[in-house]
Amino acid sequence: MPAYLIVETDVQDPEAYERYRVEASASVAAAGGRYLARGGALVVLEGEWRPDRLVVLEFDDLEAARRWYDSPGYREARRLREGAARMSMVAVEGV
Protein backbone atom coordinates (compact mmCIF):
# COMPACT_ATOMS: atom_id res chain seq x y z
CA MET A 1 0.00 0.00 0.00
CA PRO A 2 1.55 3.36 -0.96
CA ALA A 3 2.49 5.91 1.66
CA TYR A 4 2.40 9.66 1.28
CA LEU A 5 4.53 12.22 3.08
CA ILE A 6 3.01 15.63 3.60
CA VAL A 7 5.54 18.29 4.47
CA GLU A 8 4.88 21.85 5.55
CA THR A 9 7.96 24.03 5.07
CA ASP A 10 8.73 27.50 6.38
CA VAL A 11 11.88 28.61 4.55
CA GLN A 12 14.08 30.97 6.59
CA ASP A 13 17.19 31.07 4.38
CA PRO A 14 16.43 30.44 0.68
CA GLU A 15 20.07 30.01 -0.34
CA ALA A 16 20.80 27.39 2.33
CA TYR A 17 17.42 25.76 1.67
CA GLU A 18 18.41 25.25 -1.98
CA ARG A 19 21.38 23.13 -0.87
CA TYR A 20 19.01 21.06 1.29
CA ARG A 21 16.56 20.71 -1.61
CA VAL A 22 19.22 19.31 -3.93
CA GLU A 23 20.38 16.73 -1.35
CA ALA A 24 16.83 15.83 -0.33
CA SER A 25 15.79 15.30 -3.97
CA ALA A 26 18.71 12.94 -4.56
CA SER A 27 17.86 10.98 -1.42
CA VAL A 28 14.18 10.68 -2.41
CA ALA A 29 15.14 9.35 -5.86
CA ALA A 30 17.66 6.91 -4.36
CA ALA A 31 14.94 5.57 -2.03
CA GLY A 32 12.45 5.05 -4.86
CA GLY A 33 10.20 7.92 -3.81
CA ARG A 34 8.69 10.54 -6.05
CA TYR A 35 7.39 14.07 -5.68
CA LEU A 36 3.68 14.59 -6.35
CA ALA A 37 3.58 18.26 -5.34
CA ARG A 38 6.48 20.51 -4.57
CA GLY A 39 5.89 24.07 -3.47
CA GLY A 40 3.30 24.94 -6.10
CA ALA A 41 0.41 27.34 -5.68
CA LEU A 42 -2.04 26.38 -2.95
CA VAL A 43 -5.47 27.53 -1.89
CA VAL A 44 -6.87 27.15 1.62
CA LEU A 45 -10.38 25.77 1.24
CA GLU A 46 -11.30 25.34 4.89
CA GLY A 47 -9.87 25.90 8.35
CA GLU A 48 -7.10 28.02 9.83
CA TRP A 49 -4.07 26.21 8.37
CA ARG A 50 -2.10 28.67 6.20
CA PRO A 51 1.09 26.90 5.08
CA ASP A 52 3.60 28.86 3.03
CA ARG A 53 4.92 25.80 1.18
CA LEU A 54 3.72 22.19 0.93
CA VAL A 55 5.43 19.13 -0.50
CA VAL A 56 3.78 15.74 -1.09
CA LEU A 57 5.88 12.64 -1.74
CA GLU A 58 4.91 9.07 -2.52
CA PHE A 59 6.76 5.93 -1.42
CA ASP A 60 5.92 2.25 -1.93
CA ASP A 61 4.80 1.89 1.70
CA LEU A 62 5.28 3.33 5.19
CA GLU A 63 8.40 1.25 5.77
CA ALA A 64 10.00 2.66 2.60
CA ALA A 65 9.20 6.19 3.81
CA ARG A 66 10.78 5.43 7.19
CA ARG A 67 13.88 3.96 5.54
CA TRP A 68 14.23 7.08 3.42
CA TYR A 69 13.86 9.37 6.45
CA ASP A 70 16.56 7.44 8.32
CA SER A 71 18.86 7.00 5.29
CA PRO A 72 22.38 8.47 5.30
CA GLY A 73 21.47 10.66 2.32
CA TYR A 74 18.49 12.25 4.03
CA ARG A 75 20.31 12.57 7.34
CA GLU A 76 22.88 14.68 5.47
CA ALA A 77 20.09 16.72 3.85
CA ARG A 78 18.54 17.36 7.27
CA ARG A 79 21.91 18.59 8.51
CA LEU A 80 22.03 21.06 5.61
CA ARG A 81 18.50 22.24 6.46
CA GLU A 82 19.45 23.33 9.99
CA GLY A 83 18.74 27.04 10.23
CA ALA A 84 17.46 27.16 6.64
CA ALA A 85 13.87 26.00 7.20
CA ARG A 86 11.43 24.66 9.76
CA MET A 87 9.38 21.63 8.77
CA SER A 88 6.45 19.57 9.91
CA MET A 89 6.23 16.16 8.26
CA VAL A 90 3.73 13.31 8.49
CA ALA A 91 3.45 10.01 6.65
CA VAL A 92 0.11 8.39 5.93
CA GLU A 93 -0.87 5.10 4.30
CA GLY A 94 -2.80 5.38 1.07
CA VAL A 95 -5.88 3.40 0.15
Side-chain angles (χ1 to χ4, degrees), residues 11-53:
V11 177
Q12 307 294 306
D13 180 341
E15 191 174 300
Y17 181 78
E18 180 61 22
R19 290 188 294 274
Y20 159 79
R21 193 188 65 73
V22 169
E23 283 292 319
S25 296
S27 72
V28 167
R34 67 184 185 111
Y35 287 90
L36 301 179
R38 190 175 193 182
L42 61 89
V43 176
V44 175
L45 299 176
E46 190 170 327
E48 300 301 316
W49 189 25
R50 303 276 187 259
D52 287 329
R53 177 181 170 84

Side-chain angles (χ1 to χ4, degrees), residues 48-75:
E48 300 301 316
W49 189 25
R50 303 276 187 259
D52 287 329
R53 177 181 170 84
L54 285 177
V55 176
V56 179
L57 299 104
E58 181 181 42
F59 287 89
D60 287 342
D61 53 33
L62 277 176
E63 189 53 39
R66 287 184 181 134
R67 282 192 308 272
W68 163 76
Y69 186 81
D70 292 328
S71 70
Y74 192 62
R75 281 197 303 267

